[in-house]
Amino acid sequence: MRGADHCLLEQANSTYGGRSWGSGVPDRLGPGPRAGDGPHVGAGRHDDRCLPLHLEARVSCRVRDQLRVALVAPPYYRIPPVAYGGIENVVADLANALVGRGHRITLIGAGPSLTAAPMESVWPDTIGDRLGDTFPELIHAARSRRAVQRLVREKGLDVVHDHTGAGPLNAAVYAAMGLPTVVTMHGPVEADTAGLYRALADSIHLVAISDRQRQLAPDLPWLRTVHNAVRLADWPYRAEAGSYALFLGRFNRDKAPHLAVEAAHAAGVPLILAGRCSDPAEKAYFAAEVRPRLGPGDTMFGIADAAAKRTLLAGARCLVMPVQWEEPFGMVMVEAMACGTPVVALRHGAVPEVVAHGVTGFVVDHPHELAAALRRIGDIDRGACRDRVRRLFDVSRLAVGYEAAYREALAARVPVAPERTFLLPAEPTGIVHHLTASSSHRGPQRSVRPTSARPGGEGRTAG
């Protein structure tokens, strides 16, 4: 063996703890390993992706620890967001956690990113003013597909993890290349969303953010549940309870802040209301249901940015969550408990999964029970609230959960015939091409040999 090859083998053996070596064939998309690539992952299988191509026929390494993942984020808010943007917060924390665990992560989204992962920006800036429109979703899906294809050609990818609405429509294209698509259902299980995922069942791997989502639609192509999480160190803990109850969320009938006002008045507790109230429906709801109920003990705060949210949560006596819908997760409950602040909530959706009744707050069945729970909230140990987050909802668990999901998706890939070659166009084609291209000209095409896959045994919300 040549000297350089021998040194590389010694380095690999040192890096991977003297693991055994066997034979194998490469099974990832894109170029072979480059200097500085670091370890790579397989799902309990042998491969040879740690070595240069001239060694692949002779030496292979066992399962490695690195994954190359494209995280496709919505184009509406920064990552992480300045204020509103629950999905973006989750994506930012996941990107940072995965990079910290040695994976090669690329974000695909809009505008700049402040995470540890490099950003492939497919929009010059975020487009929050287009949230809810159909065509920006389609355009983003087309541009994201282009970015994924470019990453495959230039760096190689193992998994696409899509957090958008229309992005999963690209999954069949990726599957034909041997590239699995993991999709997180961030919002509620509604008829249209469930219908889309059923139609894509043969090409996506669906992750729930709560077990409740899976109970509501057990026939969807679920891979596993991965609860949303926070970086505990980013949330200030306060052992002493404050004097006020806090409502923190959007002003609409699903979140029902008017019930929080009524409960606070009945319990004789001051209330601070913070959150978004900007679109016409939210303003109409506020004018009809919230403003007439406000009294001298109530304070309207407005939208709370990241710093203000932490201050409000840490200083509160409790968080009030009088939700009237199938809450997919309820991230604000985790954020409150991370600060030591207990939660008083109605039993809808994933609320009982997040809040331990009688331990980290009270979960009740009817709005008229909220006031009594507010009066009893002093019985809750604030330290127990933070401990529950540490054990169940810390970002380290988020990363571990998605690592497992990626490996399961890789193991479940349908084999792609090794003699087949796919053309990856430099520009999008078909109907969505007309949404993004400035002309009908298609750029040069390049042949890429696909992976030799082996089969293995809210409204808009982040929950």
Side-chain angles (χ1 to χ4, degrees), residues 239-305:
E240 302 81 20
S243 61
Y244 59 88
L246 174 67
F247 171 86
L248 181 59
R250 296 181 67 171
F251 283 75
N252 59 36
R253 294 187 182 278
D254 290 337
K255 301 294 186 178
H258 70 283
L259 296 179
V261 175
E262 291 180 351
H265 290 180
V269 176
L271 178 68
I272 294 179
L273 299 103
R276 173 178 156 175
C277 184
S278 55
D279 67 34
E282 291 167 344
K283 291 178 179 178
Y285 164 79
F286 177 82
E289 301 293 342
V290 179
R291 183 182 291 130
R293 290 176 166 86
L294 294 178
D298 305 318
T299 301
M300 288 296 303
F301 185 89
I303 294 179
D305 63 16

Side-chain angles (χ1 to χ4, degrees), residues 86-331:
I87 296 174
E88 290 77 10
N89 267 321
V90 172
V91 172
D93 282 342
L94 178 60
N96 288 331
L98 290 172
V99 169
R101 292 174 65 85
H103 301 297
R104 288 174 54 188
I105 308 302
T106 303
L107 281 170
I108 298 174
S113 169
L114 297 177
T115 74
M119 179 75 154
E120 287 278 334
S121 187
V122 297
W123 301 80
D125 204 352
T126 56
I127 55 170
D129 59 326
R130 302 297 304 277
L131 178 62
D133 292 351
T134 299
F135 267 75
E137 280 285 339
L138 296 174
I139 295 169
H140 188 60
R143 292 179 179 177
S144 296
R145 186 181 70 181
R146 225 160 107 189
V148 166
Q149 291 170 334
R150 184 168 60 254
L151 287 170
V152 167
R153 289 194 304 268
E154 297 175 0
K155 299 179 180 179
L157 276 179
D158 298 302
V159 176
V160 174
H161 184 180
D162 201 290
H163 299 264
T164 70
L169 294 170
N170 291 323
V173 175
Y174 303 149
M177 295 154 46
L179 187 64
T181 301
V182 173
V183 176
T184 298
M185 180 181 276
H186 286 286
V189 179
E190 296 177 332
D192 287 343
T193 307
L196 172 64
Y197 292 149
R198 287 188 188 100
L200 299 175
D202 59 348
S203 57
I204 65 171
H205 306 272
L206 194 59
V207 172
I209 59 175
S210 66
D211 290 335
R212 178 60 177 168
Q213 286 182 316
R214 298 173 70 172
Q215 293 168 2
L216 292 172
D219 62 313
L220 294 183
W222 299 112
L223 193 62
R224 60 169 42 227
T225 297
V226 181
H227 287 134
N228 286 337
V230 298
R231 190 177 301 277
L232 192 61
D234 292 346
W235 296 87
Y237 172 68
R238 180 170 168 178
E240 302 81 20
S243 61
Y244 59 88
L246 174 67
F247 171 86
L248 181 59
R250 296 181 67 171
F251 283 75
N252 59 36
R253 294 187 182 278
D254 290 337
K255 301 294 186 178
H258 70 283
L259 296 179
V261 175
E262 291 180 351
H265 290 180
V269 176
L271 178 68
I272 294 179
L273 299 103
R276 173 178 156 175
C277 184
S278 55
D279 67 34
E282 291 167 344
K283 291 178 179 178
Y285 164 79
F286 177 82
E289 301 293 342
V290 179
R291 183 182 291 130
R293 290 176 166 86
L294 294 178
D298 305 318
T299 301
M300 288 296 303
F301 185 89
I303 294 179
D305 63 16
K309 180 192 288 189
R310 286 159 171 79
T311 300
L312 288 170
L313 286 170
R317 174 185 178 89
C318 66
L319 176 76
V320 188
M321 281 279 291
V323 291
Q324 296 290 290
W325 71 322
E326 279 288 341
E327 183 70 57
F329 182 73
M331 179 65 89

